[in-house]
């Protein structure tokens, strides 16, 4: 086998894996974790059983892969103001819920109370960790009010976001999720940011779409992975 | 049939209905809406099929009855400060999630994304309406900051509460839900209450247990149904 063959093979494997994860996302979203079967995921992905089991040993591994998709997406343009980065992170996630089936599937799995045997805590923890990094940087830069306890605020934002998006999904099918998340920011940030930073923050509902466009643009600013 | 017979019969019917709703709550919580069957609810309630169908025509009606249980519970001691009443409402609900299987079942149903064909929006709307009454009274009393939009704040609190409780359920099995809800209040209320009111509010995590005890006490203060 030539080196090129190897690369082509690897590329194909990555594409196949991606196809399977996307199919799994759709099936989990439509059926829920309990009712979903590997057979349905196979049918939807149009791959062989061998290919699927090469990448994933079980339904749980498939679900964890869908949940982990979020991880690869926690990437935002670096901002001089770290609280703006935090706002952009949530705003972007809200925007992705409107536009990206994989983001929707991951959130639904994380919130699926019937998913017995699936550890859903990782998804919450991962977001808490991502916010923790950004808020710690904000603290170093003097952007936070002195009483703010970082871990508390991170958990509060992740929890509140989870509920606000769930409510948007139930009431409007995600149509107003970016507005609702913007409101969450507007009411929470006065308890978090020092006034001068608060005044400079852009908390508008369009922030997520703008951030997504920035990341996709060829002259994108340096993106940070949190 | 004497009048007394009629009253006894009615009492029995109310008790039977209650038994069925409690059994349904347990089955919905254990199985989720989709997987739950009327047969399981029958077995758990230990009532006849005739009795069940006398009260409820379908699985959806049973689920709506569990959701409606919350309604009967939105009762709190009247407070001179209406924002304290709002805090007590959330704090009490958090406490009930720790102590009352019916409260847990209703929240789970409202958050059950797999419950196709069950209108879950009512549960969110009902809480929004309850908060709306209290916040409108708070506004009349001059307790709110001038920029506060009542409907926005009500929806935000209901949404954020839903997520905070879900996160507590996933991470700690509701052990820390009263603390998490207290933190939500602590970070949100500075954007809602005028400073003098904010300073007088009791936002401690024990507030829910205290309010529940007040409601149960024989010399309970006037309770308001919101």
């Amino acid at each position: 086998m030539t080196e090129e063959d190897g690369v082509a093979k690897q590329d194909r494997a990555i594409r196949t894996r991606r196809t399977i994860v996307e199919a799994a996302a759709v099936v989990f979203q439509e059926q829920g974790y309990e009712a979903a079967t590997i057979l349905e995921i196979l049918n939807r992905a149009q791959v062989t059983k061998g290919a699927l089991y090469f990448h994933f040993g079980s339904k749980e591994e498939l679900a964890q892969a869908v949940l982990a998709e979020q991880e690869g997406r926690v990437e935002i343009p670096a901002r001089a103001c770290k609280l703006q980065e935090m706002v952009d992170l949530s705003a972007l996630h809200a925007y992705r819920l409107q536009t990206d089936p994989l983001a929707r599937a991951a959130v639904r799995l994380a919130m699926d109370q019937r998913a017995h045997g699936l550890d859903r805590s990782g998804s919450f923890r991962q977001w808490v960790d991502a916010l923790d990094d950004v808020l710690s940087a904000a603290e170093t830069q003097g952007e936070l009010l002195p009483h703010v306890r970082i871990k508390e605020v991170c958990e509060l934002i992740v929890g509140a976001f989870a509920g606000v998006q769930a409510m948007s999904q139930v009431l409007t099918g995600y149509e107003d999720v970016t507005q609702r998340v913007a409101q969450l920011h507007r009411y929470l940030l006065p308890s978090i940011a020092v006034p001068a930073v608060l005044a400079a923050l852009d908390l508008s509902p369009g922030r997520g779409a703008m951030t997504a466009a920035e990341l996709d643009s060829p002259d994108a600013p340096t993106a940070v992975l949190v």
Side-chain angles (χ1 to χ4, degrees), chain A:
Chain A
M1 186 171 82
T2 68
E3 200 180 307
E4 234 161 313
D5 282 347
V7 171
K9 230 179 183 167
Q10 210 182 5
D11 275 359
R12 207 163 46 239
I14 290 170
R15 274 201 309 278
T16 303
R17 189 183 185 283
R18 178 85 195 165
T19 304
I20 297 166
V21 173
E22 282 174 354
V26 174
V27 173
F28 284 133
Q29 187 166 352
E30 285 175 358
Q31 310 282 324
Y33 179 72
E34 288 281 307
T37 64
I38 290 191
L39 189 64
E40 275 169 292
I41 295 168
L42 266 179
N43 286 342
R44 176 137 214 138
Q46 296 279 320
V47 299
T48 64
K49 209 167 169 173
L52 189 143
Y53 279 105
F54 172 75
H55 291 284
F56 302 102
S58 66
K59 185 167 86 168
E60 204 205 326
E61 276 184 40
L62 280 158
Q64 291 295 357
V66 172
L67 286 170
E69 267 309 300
Q70 289 302 311
E71 213 166 351
R73 276 153 197 264
V74 182
E75 190 196 34
I76 35 158
R79 311 286 186 203
C81 171
K82 291 298 145 185
L83 279 181
Q84 185 67 60
E85 233 176 82
M86 188 200 80
V87 166
D88 291 352
L89 198 58
S90 301
L92 179 64
H93 189 33
Y95 175 70
R96 290 249 159 88
L97 287 174
Q98 286 182 327
T99 54
D100 178 351
L102 253 175
R104 271 204 292 279
V107 163
R108 287 204 163 196
L109 269 177
M111 299 290 280
D112 187 347
Q113 300 148 342
R114 293 274 304 126
H116 297 310
L118 175 68
D119 180 9
R120 301 180 286 132
S121 62
S123 180
F124 286 104
R125 291 221 177 83
Q126 184 180 296
W127 277 102
V128 170
D129 289 347
L131 285 185
D132 198 302
D133 290 346
V134 182
L135 273 184
S136 298
E139 187 179 42
T140 307
Q141 295 191 179
E143 294 175 19
L144 305 189
L145 289 168
H147 72 277
V148 168
R149 282 183 226 154
I150 292 185
K151 180 151 187 278
E152 214 171 84
V153 170
C154 294
E155 300 215 332
L156 179 59
I157 291 175
V158 171
F161 183 101
V164 165
Q165 69 80 28
M167 192 162 162
S168 168
Q169 189 241 319
V170 168
L171 296 182
T172 71
Y174 283 129
E175 214 177 279
D176 64 4
V177 69
T178 53
Q179 274 95 334
R180 282 179 192 271
V181 168
Q183 281 160 12
L184 176 66
H185 289 145
R186 206 140 40 73
Y187 282 93
L188 272 186
L189 277 155
S191 296
I192 298 171
V194 298
V197 169
L198 187 64
L201 288 175
D202 178 1
L203 305 178
S204 60
R207 193 79 203 172
M210 201 207 77
T211 305
E214 265 184 274
L215 287 172
D216 289 343
S217 112
D219 42 270
T222 327
V224 284
L225 220 75
V226 287

